[in-house]
Amino acid sequence: MLKAKSLLLLLIAAGTGLTSLAQDAGRKTISLNDQWEFNKENGPVEKVTIPHTWNDKDVLDDASGYYRGLGIYKRKLRLDESAKGKDIFLVFNGVAQEAEVLVNGKSAAKHIGSYTHFIVPISSYLNYKDDVIEVRANNRFNEDIPPLTADFTFFGGLYRNVTLLITNPVHFSQKENGSNGIFITTPQVSASTASVQVKSSIDNASAANQKVQVITTIFDAKGNTVTNQTTAVSLNKGGNMVVVQDIKSIQKPELWSPENPYLYRLVTKIIDAKTKYVIDQISNPLGFRWFKFDAEKGFFLNDKPIKIIGASRHQDYENRGNATPDALQIRDVELLKAMGGNFLRVAHYPQDPQILEACDRLGILASVEIPVVNTITESEAFTNNCLNMQTEMIQQNFNHPSIIIWAYMNEILLRLKFSNDKPRQQVYFDHVRELAQKLDSLTRKLDPSRYTLLVNHGAWDIYNKVGLTKIPMIVGWNLYSGWYSGVPEDFDKFLDRHHKELPNTPFMVTEYGADADPRIHSFSPIRFDKSVEYGIKFNQVYLNAMLSRPFVAGGQAWNLADFNSETREETMPHINNKGLLTIGREPKDTYFLYQAYLLGKPYLKITSAQWKDRTGTADSAALSSTQPVQVATNQKSAELFLNGKSLGVKDAVDHTIDWQVPFVNGKNQLRVVSGDQNDQADINFQLQPFKFNDTNVPFKNINILLGSKRFYIDEKEHQLWMPDQPYKAGAWGWIGGDPYKGTNNRITYGSDKNILGTDNDPIFQTQQVGIKQFKFDVPDGEYELALYFAELVGGETKEALAYNLDNNHKKEVEEQRIFDVSINGTAFLPKLNIAADFGYTTAVKKTTRVTVQNGKGIAIDFNAIEGKPVLNAVQLRKIY
């Protein structure tokens, strides 16, 4: 023990920053997250702290693509010679995606795959004086490594924790595919009794045979000993042995469930048979539960029916990429639990160990999968990498009671190869099916206690034809009726079809969702307008359909939080906005809706409180503007008050209640009451005059989106944008033209292209085409006027994204567009050619001052020279 203490002091004294010591008897784990130097290939060297990714910034810029290549990490490791005789390992929780570890310039190990961890023995490479660790990470495209393509970003880097592990020569094996060498099963569990089997893989790296005892002790949640078992073992020098211990007759076990996530602790020790010295020790969670999926009745846990409702999760975070600190990852699971969810689909890859540990503690059921997404490569190397990833995933996460499912494919027929060569395509389909069968068979062999899952997108016919619905124990369907294609009401028809045509196959809805950009609102929400309000309606339809059908085992919303997808454009470029939380983990209205559906305690929330800054035109001859306010609740009814005045009691429909609220200029206090539940919110409202001569509603400024029926909040500049209207005498509006219609079937208005040079893409993604005039009948005075333009037709042709299922693009025809813009008869922008002057899909803002006199107001005229004039947005501010 003196030697071990000396080693620790030397580590600290060496100034290496080896902190966060976690010590078990016989082994030490020490964080190595600090003091790294990093450079891209041939790039400058910088100091970094782990977790780190080199793609946290370039995936958000306007340039297409991001750095996919080599990144080199180096740090010093000063170990005193007193460490000799120990077995020393480096533990990497995640390196994307190809890794080579060098110690003192010599290659110690290689690993393939971004999402499972790996352990590198380094004792034989050390000089114990001035050792240097180098990690060469590469996130290049490699056709033999999944994922090949996906709707998420393949961040590069040393992006999860790195640890130094020091053990005695006799220790639990670190060679079992990154696991801790101990595998726990519960062969028999009931409310009255339970049994446990523990398989411990033990290495003897010493030069002598060893006689040891393996002692496994089970502790309850209070730390009391429940039972233990001791096994005497003789270990051959340089050998390995698997010790199996069967612990039976644990009486009246406390059962693990989402309502009561009771965890026992199972501690396994290796003890020297003579001295009783603890040579090695590992602790694992233990949860007693049993479960089954039934094709007719859904999911049962501990013989009780449970509807599985939760969400999927990606691991990246706002401005951090995938290099997310432990505390933020744990908070994700806490937010899921607070939402009322009981299931986490860990998608589309194994994630940080903290995630499943949190699921165990909090009572969140889980599935985990490997990243075989969209398509495969028909090579032996690709198949072997998939099988290895599945093995690593299962063995590394084997002991988590929260896991009930292992999965291995997601939407694998989304990108169909060889569409113009049907015989060759059939060969490809055969290879896909063969890979699925290999992965399923491997999974059942490695862990017969859990279910297997293969996830398909909603192309029913092709997945059945290829045979992928016949292989797994559970079929997963990713369904987006009403988003990528169809209407929301098609969803329940799909559920019923599965039950009818595959009556003996349990299934879950593994994905569903609609983008909800938290900056966008609409009073008439429609598909692909990105409004929060459409997201609410969409999720209500899906939740109602799943909850009312016992044969639907459950559903996982896509996604828990917004996440990075570099190839996406749309209203928030590079971000998939389907999250119930923002990428910074702020709740959206949809998150509150789930709380209303799922929480078992009384719940009442003004969801519209999220839209705390509003604007709108005053009702005719009124000093208020009537707009909807929504409340989410699991109560039968509620009463809403505005500034202390009741707006009436209303009944909830699908867990929401809507009121029409007459907002006044300035602060408006909302309060909702239902029994002993209440919630309140302050809404700041900027009232726009119904007509400019209304002196009771003074005009300050107005921001108008052309060709749009949605509101937009510019959060950075605190500006509120509102939909346009046709010209009304005495007020404002456009004359002539039509809203821009894109060139695909998904979007009913506007463009989904990335607008360069702005973070406020929604301002520029809609426009009035063929506009003749825009008028403000403002009184005399001095004004600032800003006109916003972007050429939405033409520019670089990009590949249609596979996940946009209803994406039948018409070829864009670039037309010459030249027009004059004049203000009150004076030329302002003569012969404006947006594309030629500024470029395609580029934000253009032109500002001027206008002196209004003689009661003429402001008239902006658009005169066509070639093509049709356009205006994307307009802004007017009164100076004095």
Side-chain angles (χ1 to χ4, degrees):
M1 293 300 291
L2 289 174
K3 186 175 181 180
K5 183 176 181 181
S6 173
L7 170 63
L8 173 60
L9 292 174
L10 285 168
L11 283 170
I12 296 174
T16 60
L18 303 182
T19 57
S20 302
L21 179 70
Q23 182 171 354
D24 285 329
R27 68 168 49 202
K28 296 177 180 65
T29 56
I30 306 168
S31 169
L32 292 184
N33 283 347
D34 54 357
Q35 296 189 333
W36 290 88
E37 292 183 342
F38 166 76
N39 64 282
K40 296 177 184 176
E41 188 171 18
N42 301 319
V45 175
E46 59 179 311
K47 294 184 183 298
V48 300
T49 299
I50 308 305
H52 173 265
T53 177
W54 57 71
N55 295 125
D56 54 336
K57 296 180 176 62
D58 64 352
V59 296
L60 295 170
D61 60 30
D62 279 339
S64 181
Y66 55 103
Y67 180 74
R68 298 191 65 179
L70 178 64
I72 302 169
Y73 296 84
K74 290 183 180 180
R75 91 181 306 280
K76 295 179 180 179
L77 180 66
R78 297 190 183 95
L79 287 169
D80 189 83
E81 289 194 2
S82 61
K84 289 183 177 180
K86 299 285 186 178
D87 272 17
I88 301 174
F89 305 85
L90 295 174
V91 181
F92 296 93
N93 277 348
V95 183
Q97 68 176 351
E98 299 171 73
E100 182 177 14
V101 180
L102 298 93
V103 181
N104 297 325
K106 295 181 179 180
S107 180
K110 294 182 179 180
H111 183 261
I112 288 176
S114 298
Y115 308 108
T116 48
H117 56 266
F118 59 100
I119 301 170
V120 181
I122 62 171
S123 302
S124 62
Y125 299 93
L126 297 172
N127 60 36
Y128 300 94
K129 295 178 181 178
D130 52 0
D131 295 300
V132 176
I133 302 166
E134 178 179 340
V135 182
R136 299 174 69 85
N138 203 318
N139 68 333
R140 66 182 177 129
F141 174 80
N142 185 330
E143 65 178 6
D144 289 327
I145 303 176
L148 301 174
T149 71
D151 183 20
F152 57 91
T153 299
F154 304 156
F155 293 96
L158 193 54
Y159 74 97
R160 292 183 189 158
N161 296 330
V162 182
T163 305
L164 182 73
L165 170 63
I166 303 173
T167 72
N168 290 306
V170 174
H171 55 260
F172 292 105
S173 179
Q174 303 303 305
K175 300 174 183 176
E176 303 293 329
N177 296 290
S179 74
N180 63 17
I182 297 174
F183 303 94
I184 304 166
T185 54
T186 51
Q188 190 269 326
V189 181
S190 70
S192 59
T193 187
S195 64
V196 180
Q197 185 180 85
V198 183
K199 292 183 179 180
S200 301
S201 180
I202 302 173
D203 288 337
N204 178 11
S206 72
N209 297 337
Q210 301 283 342
K211 289 187 177 181
V212 300
Q213 292 177 329
V214 178
I215 301 178
T216 293
T217 306
I218 297 175
F219 299 93
D220 65 17
K222 294 181 179 179
N224 301 314
T225 299
V226 176
T227 187
N228 59 60
Q229 186 172 116
T230 302
T231 304
V233 177
S234 294
L235 300 171
N236 294 329
K237 61 182 179 180
N240 170 270
M241 176 177 284
V242 175
V243 178
V244 179
Q245 296 174 303
D246 289 302
I247 303 172
K248 298 180 179 180
S249 299
I250 298 172
Q251 300 301 310
K252 294 184 179 179
E254 191 83 26
L255 299 180
W256 185 97
S257 69
E259 296 77 24
N260 179 37
Y262 191 94
L263 286 178
Y264 293 81
R265 188 164 55 96
L266 189 149
V267 178
T268 308
K269 298 179 181 180
I270 305 172
I271 296 178
D272 185 278
K274 288 185 178 181
T275 66
K276 305 304 179 183
Y277 171 77
V278 178
I279 301 172
D280 200 4
Q281 173 177 312
I282 288 179
S283 177
N284 280 288
L286 173 63
F288 291 111
R289 80 286 184 267
W290 72 98
F291 53 89
K292 70 173 182 178
F293 285 86
D294 184 277
E296 186 68 33
K297 298 179 181 179
F299 177 73
F300 291 80
L301 180 67
N302 304 331
D303 277 345
K304 297 179 181 179
I306 292 181
K307 184 71 74 172
I308 292 172
I309 298 290
S312 299
R313 175 191 186 266
H314 272 298
Q315 64 185 1
D316 59 301
Y317 199 92
E318 185 175 33
N319 297 322
R320 295 176 181 266
N322 59 351
T324 305
D326 293 348
L328 293 179
Q329 303 208 54
I330 294 168
R331 183 170 177 262
D332 275 3
V333 187
E334 293 171 343
L335 286 166
L336 177 63
K337 184 72 174 182
M339 188 185 81
N342 59 19
F343 192 91
L344 177 65
R345 181 185 174 208
V346 181
H348 292 301
Y349 41 79
Q351 296 177 13
D352 192 279
Q354 299 277 359
I355 295 300
L356 290 173
E357 290 174 357
C359 288
D360 294 340
R361 288 194 306 272
L362 296 174
I364 300 293
L365 298 158
S367 67
V368 193
E369 62 200 61
I370 59 171
V372 186
V373 183
N374 289 1
T375 186
I376 72 166
T377 300
E378 299 163 279
S379 69
E380 183 179 359
F382 185 88
T383 296
N384 289 338
N385 284 330
C386 291
L387 294 171
N388 187 62
M389 287 179 184
Q390 191 78 356
T391 300
E392 289 185 336
M393 174 184 72
I394 293 171
Q395 294 202 337
Q396 291 173 16
N397 300 293
F398 193 89
N399 297 331
H400 290 288
S402 55
I403 296 177
I404 59 173
I405 297 168
W406 302 116
Y408 49 81
M409 277 186 177
N410 181 78
E411 299 185 352
I412 202 63
L413 301 179
L414 184 64
R415 287 184 172 233
L416 293 180
K417 293 184 175 181
F418 312 111
S419 295
N420 296 323
D421 185 346
K422 294 304 179 183
R424 178 66 181 90
Q425 187 177 68
Q426 186 57 52
V427 173
Y428 175 74
F429 289 159
D430 292 343
H431 285 146
V432 170
R433 184 177 60 254
E434 290 168 7
L435 177 59
Q437 187 62 68
K438 287 180 180 179
L439 287 166
D440 197 89
S441 298
L442 172 68
T443 304
R444 297 193 197 203
K445 179 181 178 181
L446 291 174
D447 187 3
S449 70
R450 293 178 170 104
Y451 282 75
T452 63
L453 170 69
L454 188 155
V455 174
N456 311 316
H457 75 282
W460 176 276
D461 293 333
I462 192 168
Y463 284 99
N464 277 281
K465 176 184 175 183
V466 175
L468 297 184
T469 58
K470 308 297 191 298
I471 295 173
M473 301 166 76
I474 311 166
V475 171
W477 291 108
N478 296 346
L479 302 175
Y480 291 93
S481 300
W483 191 249
Y484 290 125
S485 61
V487 296
E489 289 70 28
D490 293 335
F491 175 65
D492 57 0
K493 298 174 185 176
F494 193 102
L495 303 182
D496 295 337
R497 182 179 184 182
H498 177 106
H499 187 51
K500 179 180 179 182
E501 297 188 27
L502 295 173
N504 300 315
T505 305
F507 78 100
M508 294 193 299
V509 183
T510 37
E511 288 183 25
Y512 62 93
D515 286 26
D517 185 330
R519 306 168 300 173
I520 293 175
H521 294 270
S522 177
F523 299 151
S524 52
I526 59 174
R527 176 185 170 214
F528 255 88
D529 67 359
K530 299 297 199 86
S531 70
V532 171
E533 288 73 20
Y534 186 82
I536 288 284
K537 291 179 178 292
F538 180 99
N539 280 277
Q540 285 173 313
V541 170
Y542 276 61
L543 284 168
N544 291 342
M546 291 185 295
L547 292 172
S548 63
R549 288 168 169 78
F551 57 81
V552 179
Q556 292 89 61
W558 188 260
N559 194 33
L560 177 65
D562 293 347
F563 58 92
N564 189 273
S565 181
E566 197 273 343
T567 56
R568 280 184 175 265
E569 298 191 345
E570 303 167 349
T571 61
M572 195 179 288
H574 318 302
I575 303 296
N576 185 317
N577 279 129
K578 293 183 186 63
L580 305 177
L581 307 164
T582 69
I583 196 169
R585 277 43 174 189
E586 293 298 323
K588 300 181 190 177
D589 292 12
T590 43
Y591 180 86
F592 301 129
L593 177 73
Y594 274 74
Q595 289 184 309
Y597 268 88
L598 303 178
L599 289 179
K601 58 185 179 182
Y603 181 78
L604 187 68
K605 176 70 177 179
I606 303 173
T607 56
S608 296
Q610 301 298 102
W611 189 6
K612 61 183 179 181
D613 294 307
R614 295 195 182 202
T615 187
T617 302
D619 302 331
S620 179
L623 296 178
S624 60
S625 178
T626 302
Q627 294 187 0
V629 164
Q630 189 170 82
V631 167
T633 186
N634 55 14
Q635 303 298 288
K636 181 180 182 297
S637 61
E639 184 175 13
L640 185 71
F641 295 84
L642 173 65
N643 298 325
K645 181 180 179 182
S646 175
L647 299 182
V649 177
K650 288 195 171 187
D651 291 338
V653 178
D654 295 336
H655 295 279
T656 60
I657 310 174
D658 295 278
W659 283 268
Q660 293 296 320
V661 175
F663 288 103
V664 298
N665 199 40
K667 181 179 177 180
N668 295 258
Q669 187 176 79
L670 296 172
R671 184 168 182 267
V672 65
V673 177
S674 180
D676 60 356
Q677 298 294 304
N678 68 86
D679 188 31
Q680 66 180 42
D682 291 333
I683 306 296
N684 298 311
F685 200 94
Q686 182 182 356
L687 190 64
Q688 301 291 350
F690 182 74
K691 291 190 175 182
F692 287 113
N693 61 5
D694 186 350
T695 57
N696 292 317
V697 183
F699 172 71
K700 295 181 179 178
N701 58 73
I702 191 169
N703 311 309
I704 302 161
L705 304 175
L706 274 293
S708 173
K709 299 302 177 189
R710 61 191 184 191
F711 292 82
Y712 173 71
I713 305 165
D714 176 356
E715 297 171 327
K716 293 182 179 179
E717 297 188 15
H718 302 284
Q719 292 187 334
L720 310 176
W721 293 81
M722 58 190 293
D724 65 5
Q725 67 181 27
Y727 171 67
K728 296 178 180 178
W732 54 270
W734 51 263
I735 297 172
D738 299 287
Y740 171 83
K741 176 69 169 69
T743 56
N744 62 54
N745 292 340
R746 295 181 298 110
I747 299 179
T748 56
Y749 65 90
S751 171
D752 60 355
K753 294 180 179 180
N754 179 17
I755 307 300
L756 307 179
T758 183
D759 290 329
N760 291 310
D761 293 67
I763 295 174
F764 298 91
Q765 288 172 326
T766 61
Q767 63 184 196
Q768 192 77 356
V769 181
I771 187 171
K772 297 183 180 302
Q773 191 177 58
F774 198 99
K775 296 186 70 174
F776 291 99
D777 290 346
V778 290
D780 292 356
E782 195 76 9
Y783 296 86
E784 181 181 82
L785 175 68
L787 305 180
Y788 291 73
F789 303 95
E791 180 53 73
L792 302 178
V793 179
E796 179 184 358
T797 300
K798 298 183 179 179
E799 180 184 4
L801 300 180
Y803 42 79
N804 288 335
L805 303 179
D806 191 1
N807 198 23
N808 300 316
H809 273 268
K810 294 177 286 186
K811 184 177 181 180
E812 285 192 339
V813 179
E814 295 184 16
E815 298 179 357
Q816 187 79 302
R817 191 192 309 279
I818 304 174
F819 57 96
D820 294 327
V821 181
S822 60
I823 301 172
N824 288 346
T826 302
F828 176 54
L829 298 171
K831 296 183 179 180
L832 177 62
N833 185 330
I834 304 170
D837 297 343
F838 304 99
Y840 294 97
T841 58
T842 300
V844 179
K845 176 183 177 181
K846 292 297 178 181
T847 305
T848 188
R849 279 201 172 197
V850 180
T851 300
V852 177
Q853 52 193 356
N854 301 322
K856 291 184 177 180
I858 299 174
I860 311 158
D861 291 291
F862 301 85
N863 178 48
I865 300 173
E866 291 187 50
K868 297 180 179 179
V870 295
L871 179 63
N872 296 65
V874 61
Q875 196 172 38
L876 185 67
R877 178 172 66 89
K878 186 173 183 179
I879 301 171
Y880 51 81

